[in-house]
Amino acid sequence: MTLDRLVIRRPDDWHVHLRDGAMLKAVAPFTARQFGRAIVMPNLKPPATHAADAAAYRDRIRAALPDGVAFTPLMTAYLTDGTDAEDLARGFEEGVFAAAKLYPANATTNSAHGVTSIDRVTPVLERMADIGMPLLIHGEVTDQSVDIFDREAAFIDSTLAPLLDRHPSLRVVLEHVTTSDAVAFVRAHAASGRIGATITAHHLLINRSHIFQGGIRPHLYCLPIAKRESHRLALVEAATSGEAPFFLGTDTAPHTVTAKEAACGCAGCFTAANALELYAEAFEDAGALDKLEAFASLNGPRFYGLPPNEERVVLERRPTVVPDVILVSEGDAVLPFRSGETLRWSFAGAA
């Protein structure tokens, strides 16, 4: 590493939305260009609830990639109240599933089929704990009486803490954490080695005020929503600490411009076009570029019991312009995070 050039092991993205169809073909190459592996979210329409669904989706992802790209999609099961524990276990043991995703019903995009109560999936969680299958959680309560900015903290108190007590060997990732509460909770349980947390680039770079800066900015709206500046700073401190439970998960979540700029716009930031450049900027601002490799390339594989990637990639300090739009199909496009802006770092490919 020099001040102008970073060489790190090829990172992995431990939380990505690749969608399907034309959107999949448009966005998957961006993730595969920078990352060796990615945990792929299953909230499709219809969701990938069974091993056969995930295997077919994996084939579609591979077909959407450019020739010669070495990229491994790691598939997840979408948990429902009716999930078959044996199908789940079989999919995990056969290498189809890497983990299972718990969406509280109606918490975010395409989560209507999610879990209505933790108690309804107790047998599934017990089976997952027995076989060492990680549970990935969108950690927000859906009670409309709870303020949207408090839903992550409320989930930790009401659901996550009792869940860990009830299933002492279950391995859990609290996805896309956004609060100092989540950081403190993960740290308090870090010694067990069974809890991790992904942190997005956009939550490292924006707070809730940015969403309303000069007007409503729908392309900065995501779930969990960005929080106060004090919470952003807590995320930056955690990500740049080098501590094992914290690792990279972009939660890149593409929606078309028309779906975002609507009377009831969709939640999600599309960061895959320049993900590593965005993380490098956040780490540089914190004076912690030397900790980027641990966060991006080492901590995630360690949690999932996988070897880190052997290949190295290069980031260079030279300006790069974020694409204005990413075309999906005729008349449809995705607006990347920081569309049209100039970033300080550029991804230069393999070392």
Side-chain angles (χ1 to χ4, degrees), residues 178-194:
T178 61
T179 61
S180 58
D181 309 77
V183 169
F185 183 87
V186 170
R187 279 185 166 141
H189 293 79
S192 70
R194 66 186 187 100

Side-chain angles (χ1 to χ4, degrees), residues 127-347:
R127 190 80 171 94
M128 290 176 63
D130 288 343
I131 62 177
M133 185 178 190
L135 174 68
L136 317 183
I137 299 181
H138 180 110
E140 291 189 290
V141 298
T142 56
D143 183 347
Q144 295 302 301
S145 69
V146 179
D147 188 282
I148 190 170
F149 295 102
D150 298 330
R151 289 177 186 172
E152 181 173 280
F155 182 89
I156 290 168
D157 290 340
S158 68
T159 305
L160 183 57
L163 174 70
L164 292 181
D165 289 341
R166 195 177 307 126
H167 303 282
S169 61
L170 183 65
R171 301 176 66 244
V172 173
V173 178
L174 186 56
E175 298 288 352
H176 40 53
V177 295
T178 61
T179 61
S180 58
D181 309 77
V183 169
F185 183 87
V186 170
R187 279 185 166 141
H189 293 79
S192 70
R194 66 186 187 100
I195 187 164
T198 55
I199 303 178
T200 78
H202 49 284
H203 286 120
L204 292 176
L205 293 168
I206 66 169
N207 61 39
R208 66 185 190 178
S209 294
H210 289 96
I211 304 171
F212 308 102
Q213 196 169 49
I216 295 175
R217 297 176 177 265
H219 296 279
L220 299 186
Y221 169 57
C222 58
L223 289 174
I225 197 165
K227 307 299 194 298
R228 292 179 181 273
E229 176 67 0
S230 59
H231 293 294
R232 186 191 72 82
L233 292 174
L235 297 179
V236 170
E237 191 277 327
T240 61
S241 69
E243 295 170 25
F246 303 107
F247 41 90
L248 186 155
T250 63
D251 190 23
T252 180
H255 294 281
T256 62
V257 172
T258 52
K260 291 288 290 181
E261 298 175 4
C264 187
C266 294
C269 295
F270 177 63
T271 56
N274 297 92
L276 287 180
E277 295 95 322
L278 293 168
Y279 279 109
E281 185 171 302
F283 274 66
E284 181 178 41
D285 288 345
L289 281 172
D290 60 318
K291 298 296 178 60
L292 181 60
E293 184 176 49
F295 175 79
S297 311
L298 304 178
N299 292 350
R302 184 185 300 115
F303 181 87
Y304 279 92
L306 297 171
N309 297 310
E310 290 297 330
E311 186 182 30
R312 267 66 175 177
V313 296
V314 179
L315 285 160
E316 295 177 346
R317 188 196 299 280
R318 54 183 170 82
T320 187
V321 179
V322 179
D324 283 328
V325 294
I326 304 297
L327 295 179
V328 176
S329 59
E330 187 174 349
D332 268 334
V334 173
L335 200 71
F337 184 79
R338 291 196 168 173
S339 169
E341 295 184 25
T342 300
L343 305 178
R344 298 193 297 267
W345 289 88
S346 294
F347 180 72

